[in-house]
Each structure stands twice: as structure tokens, then as C-alpha cells.
Amino acid sequence: MKYIDLDRRFVSLAEAQDIDPEVWLAIRGADGRLGWKQLLERKRVVILAEAGSGKSTELEQQFRAWKGAGHAAFHGKLQTVGRRGLMAAIGGKSRTAFEAWQASDEPAWFFLDSVDEAKLDNIRLDDALGAIADVLDPYLGRAHIVLSGRHTDWEFRLDLERLADILPVPNLQPLEELSDQERLDDVIHNRAPSRKTKDEVKPEAPLVVVLAGLDEAQIRLFAGAAGITDLDAFCDALKRSDLLDFAKRPLDLDWLALGWKRDKRFGAFAHMLDQALQERSKETDPLRAQQAPLDPTRVRAALRRIGAALVLSRKQAIAVPDSGL
């Protein structure tokens, strides 16, 4: 299926903290969502999502759109950056554009996908970030760097520290220390300092976001592009069958749409849940499937054990280890 512009939305982890992103969206509504416009205004962005959410497609499309609009924009795999360097990752054809950007004073956007594939290939994140810094160090102040990856492969504390340390955002604001006379005037008139000093201006921190699931309007848009003409009946059936949570992920919505076009109905919830588990047990990334193949029978057995553990312990979440803790 060709790219569908769904106007994807994002949830800032700095705001949501320990709250499930979907719950945070329900609480905040539209105010809790960020769009690509807000993301691309920032200098360092990390986009996290589960497999099949469409993050890689979104990243590549934004690169194409930004480049088509006349901006300096580059796209590549973080895995290639770690192995062969940034210039090899963005491609030899981009060298002329990159050199033109170097000679200018304009900003540029680097869309680098994906953290999880790099780690799977035994590439340390700090090595990949260091390879970026080797090339961009003189230009970090005007380089917008967007990384993506699966949220299960991102160490929220340690990886964030690595990003902030290795690819910091320099303060480009021309600040000067206040003179003694200026300080005295501020004290005499009992007013705040007339301008901030270098020590008072904090550098921009990286923004880490989670790709939000599709809402009903986006589900309808996707389903229409997939060839469903009876959208009202399709969405009503999703609600009646309690399948809206499945439909929030494009990869799941795709097989739901195929099934609807074939049968014009959904099965019992237990059957649909079983089908969803089968679909989610498949590795969507061919490279990852080749490097770390999964046996479907063992996957289902593992899912049963995990489900039993959650039910018997009355837990709703599983903590992913973070070596920064």
C-alpha cells in the first residue's frame, strides 16, 4: 500500500512520565498530542514505537517532504552510521547537497532510523552517535537530528544521557555577561536582570516521544485508502467487537481491513484476539527475522507464560531493564 498521510501524533515522554501514552492522550485530549511540525522545530528528537506502528515509513516520508520543500534533509540507517559512518549512511548522491549545506549558515535535518536495528547488530549507541558527532561537530547548532526505534530497545535514562552528552545542542544565542553598572542599575531599580547571562540559559534538551495509536478519524482514513467503502459499518463493527485497540496500529488495521473486505464481519473476540496474537508474533522486519528468527510455537508458549504471570501477579506492566538506573 502506498503512503497514507494520517497526520500522525506523538506523546512526549517527559510529560507523560510513567503514564501509559494512550491514557495520557485520553486525559489531555488534543492538548497532549504533538505533530511533526512541533517535532521538527526541535534539534534532537527520538521517536519510539512498537513494531508495525509505521514509524520508519513516517520518518522516510518526512525526509522526502522536507527535502521536496527545499530544505537540506538527509536520511539513513543508524546501523550503517555505526558501521561505515554518517556519509555512507546518507548516501553518496547526497554528498553535494551536504557540502552545500556545510558552506551555508542554514539548518539541516537528519532522519536516522533505527536504534533497535543498530543494537541488534551489536552496534553500541554511543559509537553510532560518536560517528555522527565526528562529522557534524562544527555544525551541531544548526543540525536537527531525528532518531527512531522500538521503545523496547531504548534505555530511557542511559540512552538519553548518551544523546545529550555526545550530540549536545550548543547555545547559539549571543549572550554577554552583565557589566558592573548594569548589575548596579538592576539592583537600584529592584528589577530582574536586564538580560540573561550564559550561565542562566540552559541548552535545549532532547525530546523523546512515543508515536500515538490511530484515532477513529485516522482509522477511517486508512481504511478508505485500503479500499473499504462502507466505512460507517466497518467502524461500528470495530466498536461492537471491541477491536478499536487493535485498529490503532497500522499493521493490525491492515489485516482487519482485509478480513472485513472478505467477510463483511468480524469473528468472536476470542477468535480475533487469537488472530491478533498470531499476527503480532510475526517479525515485520526481514533483517531482524533473519538475524534473530522466532519459532511460532515457542512464541505462543512464551505469550501464555507472560499472560499467566501478569494475571496471577495482578500486574499490568512489565519493566524493561535500563542500565542507567
Side-chain angles (χ1 to χ4, degrees):
M1 184 186 296
K2 65 179 182 180
Y3 174 76
I4 307 166
D5 186 0
L6 299 174
D7 188 22
R8 298 300 297 268
R9 301 277 118 177
F10 306 86
V11 185
S12 169
L13 283 183
E15 291 186 4
Q17 295 179 350
D18 295 331
I19 302 176
D20 183 284
E22 297 300 330
V23 175
W24 183 251
L25 284 178
I27 295 172
R28 290 286 304 276
D31 292 338
R33 298 168 178 254
L34 299 171
W36 271 109
K37 182 179 182 297
Q38 291 95 330
L39 263 57
L40 296 181
E41 290 173 350
R42 300 291 292 265
K43 295 290 180 63
R44 306 289 181 267
V45 178
V46 180
I47 299 172
L48 304 175
E50 63 175 312
S53 299
K55 61 185 180 305
S56 296
T57 301
E58 284 290 317
L59 206 70
E60 185 171 358
Q61 181 61 29
Q62 288 301 317
F63 153 68
R64 295 182 186 280
W66 218 239
K67 184 178 180 180
H71 299 288
F74 308 92
H75 177 269
K77 293 284 189 180
L78 197 64
Q79 181 183 24
T80 308
V81 174
R83 290 293 182 201
R84 300 166 53 203
L86 179 63
M87 297 310 300
I90 64 176
K93 293 182 180 179
S94 299
R95 182 171 293 276
T96 300
F98 181 81
E99 291 174 349
W101 170 69
Q102 284 180 302
S104 74
D105 57 0
E106 297 296 317
W109 283 259
F110 295 83
F111 300 87
L112 301 173
D113 185 39
S114 61
V115 173
D116 50 280
E117 288 185 13
K119 289 187 175 183
L120 181 66
D121 201 24
N122 296 317
I123 295 172
R124 291 169 53 90
L125 180 61
D126 47 358
D127 289 339
L129 297 178
I132 298 172
D134 287 343
V135 178
L136 296 185
D137 186 64
Y139 319 101
L140 286 177
R142 53 190 181 95
H144 296 252
I145 300 172
V146 183
L147 307 177
S148 76
R150 299 185 184 186
H151 54 65
T152 50
D153 291 285
W154 177 261
E155 295 187 72
F156 290 89
R157 179 168 298 187
L158 183 60
D159 287 347
L160 186 59
E161 290 175 355
R162 288 167 170 162
L163 177 59
D165 290 343
I166 299 173
L167 296 174
V169 179
N171 178 24
L172 300 181
Q173 190 175 354
L175 299 173
E176 297 178 359
E177 291 289 347
L178 298 176
S179 67
D180 291 340
Q181 183 60 49
E182 288 173 319
R183 293 179 186 276
L184 181 60
D185 289 343
D186 289 337
V187 172
I188 292 174
H189 295 288
N190 192 28
R191 66 191 180 196
S194 52
R195 64 177 183 269
K196 291 183 178 180
T197 65
K198 294 179 182 179
D199 294 335
E200 295 173 320
V201 178
K202 295 182 178 179
E204 179 186 313
L207 173 65
V208 182
V209 298
V210 173
L211 181 60
L214 303 181
D215 59 25
E216 186 171 343
Q218 293 168 323
I219 289 172
R220 294 176 71 93
L221 187 60
F222 185 100
I228 293 180
T229 55
D230 49 346
L231 289 173
D232 290 337
F234 175 72
C235 290
D236 288 343
L238 286 175
K239 295 174 185 176
R240 288 196 309 271
S241 301
D242 203 20
L243 297 174
L244 276 178
D245 277 342
F246 294 132
K248 290 179 179 179
R249 190 177 80 141
L251 194 65
D252 287 325
L253 182 54
D254 192 35
W255 65 259
L256 286 169
L258 289 173
W260 178 263
K261 287 193 292 185
R262 183 184 63 246
D263 304 325
K264 294 298 180 182
R265 60 180 293 276
F266 296 120
F269 181 77
H271 170 73
M272 300 303 294
L273 178 59
D274 185 69
Q275 187 174 353
L277 290 175
Q278 288 184 35
E279 294 294 330
R280 289 187 175 225
S281 298
K282 300 174 183 176
E283 176 54 64
T284 59
D285 187 327
L287 178 62
R288 184 182 285 258
Q290 182 179 12
Q291 291 182 320
L294 294 174
D295 175 63
T297 303
R298 294 185 64 191
V299 169
R300 293 304 295 269
L303 289 174
R304 288 191 184 94
R305 291 188 176 95
I306 293 170
L310 290 171
V311 171
L312 295 174
S313 63
R314 298 182 180 181
K315 302 292 185 181
Q316 296 183 347
I318 299 173
V320 177
D322 185 336
S323 54
L325 296 175

